[in-house]
Amino acid sequence: MKRFLFACTLVVCVLLQLSAQNRFNERPKLVVGIVVDQMRWDYLSRYYNRFSEDGFRRLLDKGYSFNNCLIDYVPTVTAIGHTSIYTGTTPAFHGICGNNFSIDGKAVYCCRDSVVMPVGSDNKKDGQMSPVNLLATTIGDQLRLHTDFRSKVVGVSYKDRAAILPAGHAANAAYWLDRKNRRFITSTYYMKELPEWVKDFNEELEENKVFKKMGKDIGLSPETGHITVDMAIAALDGERLGQGHETDMLCVSFSQTDVIGHEWGTRGEHTDEAYMELDKDLSKLFKALDEKIGKGNYLVFLTADHGAAHNEKYMQNHGLHGGPWLTEQLRLELEKYIASKLGSQQPVIEAILDYRFYLNHEAIAKQGLDVGRVKEVAIEFLRKSPHLSFVVDYEKAATAPIPDILRQRILRGYNFHRSGDIIVVLEPGFYEVGFWSTPEGTTHGAWNPYDAHIPLLFYGWQVPHGENSEEVHITDIAPTVCSLLHIQQPNASIGKPLKFN
C-alpha cells in the first residue's frame, strides 16, 4: 500500500512539473499595449454606464483592474509616461525627462534625431525622429532579444513620441501621423521605404473627409482615434502580427484625448464625445483581434501616460481651491531678483519646463558667478512666490525638508544630466498655464492624484476577472507583462510583477 501511495505521489508530482513546464513555455500570440493619453482613472466609473459592452466594459467586466495605479515620479508628462510604462522605470534611469528637456545644457526634443530622415514624407520637422535619447530597453526590446529578433514589434500613434518610445530601440517599425501631409510616416531609423500596406493605407487616408476639413487640427477631433485604430488593424494584417511562431507586440496610443483635454478640459461635451468615440474604437480593435488572432490568444493591457487637473476656473466657480501659475512673468521677476542680489548682467535661467528650472551654467560661469549661490538666491525668491508648496534644489532633494512621498517621486524623476536644477511643487489645484492649454482647457505634470492616478486594465490570455485597490505603480506594468511572457524585464526596470488575486 505504501509503495502504491508513493508511486501515485510520484506520478502526481511529475504531472504537476510537466503542467508547470507547459505553462512556463506558453505565451500569447500577440501582446497589445494601449495607452490613452491624459486619461484620468475616474473616467472609468464616470462613463461606465455609457460604455458599450465590447469596449472599455469588456476590459472592466471580463478583465482585471488595478484600481490604485499611481505614477511614482514627477513630472507627469506624455513622453515620460509612455516610456515608463514600457521600460518599467523612471527618468532617473531611462533618461526621457520630458517632451522637451536639456542634455548637459543642450535643448532637445525627446525623439528628435538629426541623423535620420523622414520616410513617407518630405516633412523633416515631423519625420526626423527616433528613440535616440532613450537609455533603457522596453518590453518589445526584451521580447525581440528573447526570440533572437524573430518577434515583431510595431508602434502606432498620432504622436511620434507615443509610437517611438513604447516600441523601443529594436522595434521593426513605429508609425506616426504627419498632419501636414495627411499620412502616417516613419524614419530611416526603421526602414528606407514604407511597406506597401502603409502606402495603401495612406492613399485612403488622403481622401478622409474629416482630415481634409480639420487639417493640422485633426487632433481636436475623435476622428484621430478612428484613424489610429484603423492603422493599428492595418498593421495586424500588413505585418501579420500574431500569425507567426513567436509572440509579437503592437503598441497603440490614442492621443486625441490629450489634445481635446488641453483644449476643453476634463468636463463637457467634447471630452464626453472623445471617450464615447474611443469606446467604439476599442470595440473595433477587439473585434479585429478576436477574428484575426482568436479570443484567448492575445494579451491586452490598457493604461494612461498621465491624468489631468480640472480647469482652474471650473474649480473656482464651484468654490474649490485652484488657479494658474504663469511662468513667463515669474521668470522675468526671478531674473531681476538674481541680478539685484548677484549683479548678473545676462539671463541665467535657460528654461522653465514642467515645474523645473534649468539654469544656464555657461552664462553663469562667463559672469563669474557660482552655480550654488545662484540656486540659493533663486530658491530664496521662489519661496516667497504665491501658491508654491515646496521649492527643491535637485542635488539636495535627498535631505530636503519635504514629505517623503514627494522626495521619492522627485528623486525618481531626476536625471543629473537632463532634469535641470530646481523643481517646484504647487499647491493642489494650481497648474502651469502655457501655449499647450486654453482658458477652458487643462494640463498636467504634478504629483497629485488628478495627474498621477491612472487606469490599469489587463484582459485576455491567462488574465482572470477581478480587481484590487492595493497601491501599484506605472513602473509595475512592464515587469508584469514580462513575467507573464517569461522573458527578462527591461534592463533598468525597478517595478514588480503584479499578481491577479
Side-chain angles (χ1 to χ4, degrees):
M1 186 64 179
K2 289 182 178 180
R3 290 182 178 179
F4 175 75
L5 290 174
F6 176 78
C8 289
T9 302
L10 185 62
V11 170
V12 170
C13 288
V14 171
L15 290 174
L16 287 173
Q17 286 180 341
L18 289 173
S19 176
Q21 184 178 6
N22 289 337
R23 288 197 300 272
F24 198 87
N25 289 332
E26 290 176 354
R27 294 188 185 90
K29 293 182 178 179
L30 180 68
V31 178
V32 182
I34 301 172
V35 180
V36 182
D37 205 321
Q38 203 186 112
M39 184 175 181
R40 294 165 54 107
W41 172 78
D42 59 352
Y43 284 168
L44 291 175
S45 59
R46 177 174 174 78
Y47 295 117
Y48 180 84
N49 292 330
R50 298 173 63 182
F51 286 146
S52 68
E53 291 184 359
D54 240 4
F56 278 103
R57 288 272 293 272
R58 185 195 283 214
L59 303 179
L60 289 164
D61 296 346
K62 298 180 180 180
Y64 199 95
S65 177
F66 291 94
N67 294 330
N68 193 22
C69 183
L70 302 176
I71 295 175
D72 51 352
Y73 55 80
V74 287
T76 50
V77 297
T78 297
I80 303 178
H82 280 81
T83 307
S84 297
I85 290 165
Y86 285 88
T87 62
T89 193
T90 69
F93 300 104
H94 62 57
I96 300 299
C97 294
N99 300 335
N100 296 280
F101 52 97
S102 290
I103 301 179
D104 293 329
K106 181 182 178 181
V108 300
Y109 171 69
C110 58
C111 293
R112 174 66 60 190
D113 187 351
S114 61
V115 174
V116 303
M117 295 297 289
V119 174
S121 168
D122 60 358
N123 186 350
K124 290 185 178 181
K125 180 181 178 182
D126 291 345
Q128 287 188 294
M129 303 291 174
S130 82
V132 61
N133 293 314
L134 176 60
L135 302 179
T137 60
T138 63
I139 302 169
D141 290 333
Q142 295 301 139
L143 183 60
R144 296 265 288 157
L145 281 164
H146 191 82
T147 62
D148 293 329
F149 301 93
R150 292 187 297 272
S151 292
K152 292 182 179 180
V153 177
V154 176
V156 174
S157 182
Y158 162 90
K159 296 180 180 178
D160 54 78
R161 57 186 179 271
I164 293 169
L165 297 171
H169 296 278
N172 299 83
Y175 301 104
W176 57 94
L177 206 57
D178 176 353
R179 296 174 297 158
K180 177 183 176 182
N181 294 301
R182 299 203 307 274
R183 57 180 55 213
F184 276 97
I185 62 173
T186 187
S187 77
T188 51
Y189 177 86
Y190 302 99
M191 63 191 72
K192 294 181 180 179
E193 185 177 358
L194 289 178
E196 289 301 318
W197 68 266
V198 179
K199 293 179 182 179
D200 293 341
F201 186 88
N202 281 337
E203 286 184 10
E204 296 180 9
L205 190 57
E206 288 177 6
E207 300 304 316
N208 183 293
K209 293 181 180 179
V210 178
F211 206 162
K212 280 185 175 181
K213 180 180 179 181
M214 297 289 293
K216 291 185 178 181
D217 293 328
I218 187 65
L220 292 171
S221 169
E223 182 70 17
T224 301
H226 306 337
I227 291 170
T228 301
V229 80
D230 287 345
M231 180 63 175
I233 293 171
L236 285 175
D237 292 330
E239 298 295 338
R240 295 186 56 79
L241 298 178
Q243 302 299 314
H245 295 294
E246 303 289 356
T247 300
D248 296 324
M249 186 167 194
L250 176 63
C251 310
V252 185
S253 180
F254 293 98
S255 304
Q256 73 279 2
T257 44
D258 182 73
V259 182
I260 289 169
H262 281 299
E263 185 75 13
W264 290 297
T266 60
R267 291 291 185 265
E269 59 179 339
H270 296 288
T271 299
D272 292 350
E273 179 190 24
Y275 280 90
M276 294 305 98
E277 292 300 309
L278 175 58
D279 188 59
K280 295 176 184 177
D281 293 330
L282 292 178
S283 296
K284 187 173 185 178
L285 177 60
F286 296 152
K287 182 179 179 181
L289 290 169
D290 290 344
E291 293 174 352
K292 299 174 187 298
I293 311 300
K295 287 186 176 180
N297 291 327
Y298 60 89
L299 170 68
V300 172
F301 68 84
L302 181 147
T303 187
D305 53 345
H306 55 74
H310 291 310
N311 177 268
E312 45 99 3
K313 291 181 180 178
Y314 175 85
M315 295 285 281
Q316 291 172 1
N317 290 340
H318 291 81
L320 296 165
H321 194 60
W325 188 57
L326 306 175
T327 55
E328 285 309 307
Q329 178 182 340
L330 180 69
R331 179 176 179 168
L332 293 174
E333 294 173 354
L334 177 56
E335 289 282 11
K336 289 180 181 179
Y337 187 81
I338 293 173
S340 70
K341 289 284 187 175
L342 301 179
S344 55
Q345 300 297 313
Q346 298 177 3
V348 297
I349 307 297
E350 177 185 310
I352 304 174
L353 298 171
D354 307 320
Y355 309 103
R356 300 166 301 180
F357 290 72
Y358 286 79
L359 298 181
N360 188 327
H361 289 242
E362 183 178 347
I364 291 171
K366 284 183 178 180
Q367 298 178 78
L369 302 175
D370 177 70
V371 172
R373 181 60 182 146
V374 172
K375 284 196 285 186
E376 289 176 1
V377 172
I379 290 172
E380 179 182 284
F381 173 84
L382 291 170
R383 281 179 174 161
K384 301 174 184 177
S385 182
H387 307 301
L388 292 188
S389 296
F390 302 97
V391 184
V392 180
D393 178 344
Y394 261 130
E395 290 189 328
K396 299 179 180 179
T399 57
I402 57 176
D404 190 57
I405 187 173
L406 289 181
R407 184 190 335 279
Q408 294 303 319
R409 295 189 188 194
I410 287 171
L411 290 172
R412 291 189 187 106
Y414 176 55
N415 183 292
F416 175 77
H417 296 283
R418 303 183 176 200
S419 295
D421 301 274
I422 299 169
I423 185 168
V424 299
V425 179
L426 306 188
E427 294 174 358
F430 282 77
Y431 56 79
E432 183 178 6
V433 174
F435 67 90
W436 52 85
S437 59
T438 67
E440 295 76 30
T442 187
T443 190
H444 48 85
W447 71 273
N448 310 74
Y450 44 77
D451 283 352
H453 189 186
I454 56 175
L456 178 54
L457 307 170
F458 284 85
Y459 168 80
W461 185 80
Q462 291 196 356
V463 176
H465 173 53
E467 63 177 317
N468 77 57
S469 296
E470 296 176 5
E471 181 176 325
V472 301
H473 303 117
I474 190 172
T475 48
D476 296 330
I477 298 171
T480 300
V481 174
C482 290
S483 177
L484 289 169
L485 299 181
H486 294 107
I487 64 175
Q488 185 58 272
Q489 297 179 18
N491 61 11
S493 177
I494 63 171
K496 64 181 185 299
L498 302 176
K499 295 181 179 178
F500 303 103
N501 296 325

